[in-house]
C-alpha cells in the first residue's frame, strides 16, 4: 500500500521555443489539479542543450510553436529522441500540442520546403498546406466518460496518420489533422498529440485527470484513485466553447 506522499515530476519540453496560445496553461492545470489532491508536483523546464533521462520524469508536455521555433526545437528533440522514445515505451504519458505534435511525428515539411525530421513517437507526417485552419474545435473522445473535447486550432500543417497511430479524437466542428478525414490528433501507447490549444487541459479537466491518472498508475504500478474536484468553473468554460461558433 502507498503511504509516502505521492509525487509527480513533469518535464516541460522547451518552453522557451514552444509556448503559444497559452499552452503553458496546460502545465498549470496538470500541476494544480495534482496539488489540489495533495500530490506533490515538480515541473522541470527542459531548455535547449539539456539532456533528458527518461527515468527522471513521470509525465512529459510540449506546446506549440511557429515554424522558426520549430526548426530549433526539432534539433533539440532529436538530440533527446532516444530517451523520449524510451519514456514512450515505458508507457509514460506525453502530451504534444500543435508544433510539437508535428515534431513528435516522422517529419514536418514546411511551406518553404524544409523537411524537419521528427522523433517518430507517432506514426504521422505533416506537410504545410496553403490554407490556415483557425478557430474553435469541438471533438469527440471515445475513451473518456465525458466525451466532448473543446479547443482552439491555428495551423497550416496538414497531418496524416500512418498505420501505427490511432486518431486521438473525432472532429465534430473544426478541421483537426487535415480538414478532410475528420480525425483530430494521434495516439500511440500513452503518447498523445493534438492540434488543440485552448489551453486544452483547463477546459477539459477530464482529459487532464486522465493524464494524471496514467502518470500515477505508471509510476506507482497500482491504481491510485484521484479525488474528485469541484469543476463547476472548468465545465462552464468547456460548455461555453461548445456553444461558441467556429
Ligand atoms: N507551424 C505549425 C503550423 O502552422 C504549427 C503552429 C502551431 O504550433 N500553432 O502548422
Amino acid at each position: 500500500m502507498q503511504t509516502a506522499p505521492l509525487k509527480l515530476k513533469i518535464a516541460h519540453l522547451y518552453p522557451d521555443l514552444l509556448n503559444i496560445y497559452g499552452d503553458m496553461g496546460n502545465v498549470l492545470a496538470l500541476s494544480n489539479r495534482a496539488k489540489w489532491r495533495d500530490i506533490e508536483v515538480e515541473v522541470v523546464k527542459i531548455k535547449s542543450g539539456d539532456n533528458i533521462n527518461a527515468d527522471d520524469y513521470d509525465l512529459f508536455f510540449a506546446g506549440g510553436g511557429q515554424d522558426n521555433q520549430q526548426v530549433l526545437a526539432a534539433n533539440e528533440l532529436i538530440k533527446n529522441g532516444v530517451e523520449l522514445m524510451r519514456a514512450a515505451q515505458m508507457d509514460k504519458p506525453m502530451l504534444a500540442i500543435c508544433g510539437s505534435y508535428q515534431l513528435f511525428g516522422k517529419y514536418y515539411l514546411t511551406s518553404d520546403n524544409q523537411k524537419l525530421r521528427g522523433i517518430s513517437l507517432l506514426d504521422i507526417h505533416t506537410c504545410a498546406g496553403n490554407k490556415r485552419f483557425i478557430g474553435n474545435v469541438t471533438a469527440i473522445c471515445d475513451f473518456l466518460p465525458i466525451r466532448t473535447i473543446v479547443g482552439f486550432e491555428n495551423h497550416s500543417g496538414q497531418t496524416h496518420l500512418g498505420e501505427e497511430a490511432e486518431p486521438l479524437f473525432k472532429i465534430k466542428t473544426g478541421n483537426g489533422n487535415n480538414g478532410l478525414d475528420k480525425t483530430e490528433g494521434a495516439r500511440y501507447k500513452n503518447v498523445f498529440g493534438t492540434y488543440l490549444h485552448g489551453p486544452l487541459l483547463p477546459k477539459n479537466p477530464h482529459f487532464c485527470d486522465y493524464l494524471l491518472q496514467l502518470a500515477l498508475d505508471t509510476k506507482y504500478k497500482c491504481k491510485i484513485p484521484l479525488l474528485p474536484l469541484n469543476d463547476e468553473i472548468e465545465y462552464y468554460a468547456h460548455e461555453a466553447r461548445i456553444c461558441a461558433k467556429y
Side-chain angles (χ1 to χ4, degrees):
M1 201 178 122
Q2 179 65 35
T3 46
L6 299 170
K7 185 171 175 186
L8 289 176
K9 198 164 165 188
I10 300 174
H12 186 177
L13 304 179
Y14 313 111
D16 49 335
L17 300 171
L18 301 170
N19 182 24
I20 48 174
Y21 313 125
D23 281 340
M24 173 71 194
N26 293 308
V27 178
L28 293 175
L30 285 164
S31 48
N32 284 332
R33 292 183 71 80
K35 284 179 194 164
W36 291 335
R37 291 155 161 138
D38 291 328
I39 300 166
E40 285 177 31
V41 178
E42 185 185 352
V43 178
V44 178
K45 291 182 183 171
I46 307 294
K47 297 183 296 299
S48 303
D50 287 352
N51 290 321
I52 296 171
N53 181 338
D55 298 317
D56 289 347
Y57 304 100
D58 309 306
L59 202 154
F60 294 78
F61 172 79
Q66 304 298 356
D67 287 19
N68 285 349
Q69 281 74 38
Q70 278 181 282
V71 175
L72 302 171
N75 286 329
E76 295 302 322
L77 285 166
I78 293 280
K79 283 189 227 160
N80 282 305
V82 171
E83 282 301 297
L84 291 168
M85 180 60 89
R86 200 162 71 79
Q89 296 303 346
M90 286 191 277
D91 288 334
K92 299 198 180 207
M94 304 174 133
L95 176 62
I97 313 262
C98 201
S100 59
Y101 166 43
Q102 296 169 347
L103 297 177
F104 270 38
K106 292 189 162 163
Y107 64 86
Y108 170 43
L109 191 62
T110 67
S111 53
D112 54 5
N113 247 7
Q114 251 188 301
K115 193 168 184 177
L116 305 184
R117 189 154 70 89
I119 51 173
S120 295
L121 265 54
L122 294 167
D123 181 13
I124 60 163
H125 68 272
T126 304
C127 300
N130 42 24
K131 187 174 168 215
R132 215 168 168 83
F133 296 140
I134 307 176
N136 294 310
V137 173
T138 305
I140 303 297
C141 168
D142 63 13
F143 55 89
L144 294 175
I146 294 173
R147 288 164 63 88
T148 48
I149 294 286
V150 296
F152 172 80
E153 63 181 340
N154 187 349
H155 57 106
S156 67
Q158 299 187 6
T159 296
H160 296 274
L161 273 55
E163 280 177 7
E164 305 267 310
E166 53 178 306
L168 181 56
F169 308 127
K170 211 183 280 161
I171 284 291
K172 202 166 167 206
T173 56
N175 292 285
N177 282 327
N178 48 55
L180 297 171
D181 64 11
K182 297 275 176 200
T183 64
E184 206 302 308
R187 176 179 190 169
Y188 167 72
K189 291 168 91 66
N190 291 332
V191 181
F192 303 89
T194 175
Y195 273 112
L196 301 185
H197 304 272
L200 177 70
L201 299 181
K203 294 193 176 86
N204 298 283
H206 45 307
F207 188 45
C208 189
D209 284 356
Y210 182 71
L211 297 175
L212 290 172
Q213 186 75 67
L214 287 174
L216 289 170
D217 293 354
T218 310
K219 176 169 185 176
Y220 292 103
K221 299 186 179 23
C222 65
K223 195 94 194 154
I224 294 167
L226 281 182
L227 297 176
L229 298 174
N230 179 349
D231 287 327
E232 206 178 326
I233 293 173
E234 286 79 354
Y235 282 110
Y236 186 74
H238 179 93
E239 291 295 326
R241 272 284 156 253
I242 293 179
C243 299
K245 283 221 157 47
Y246 178 69

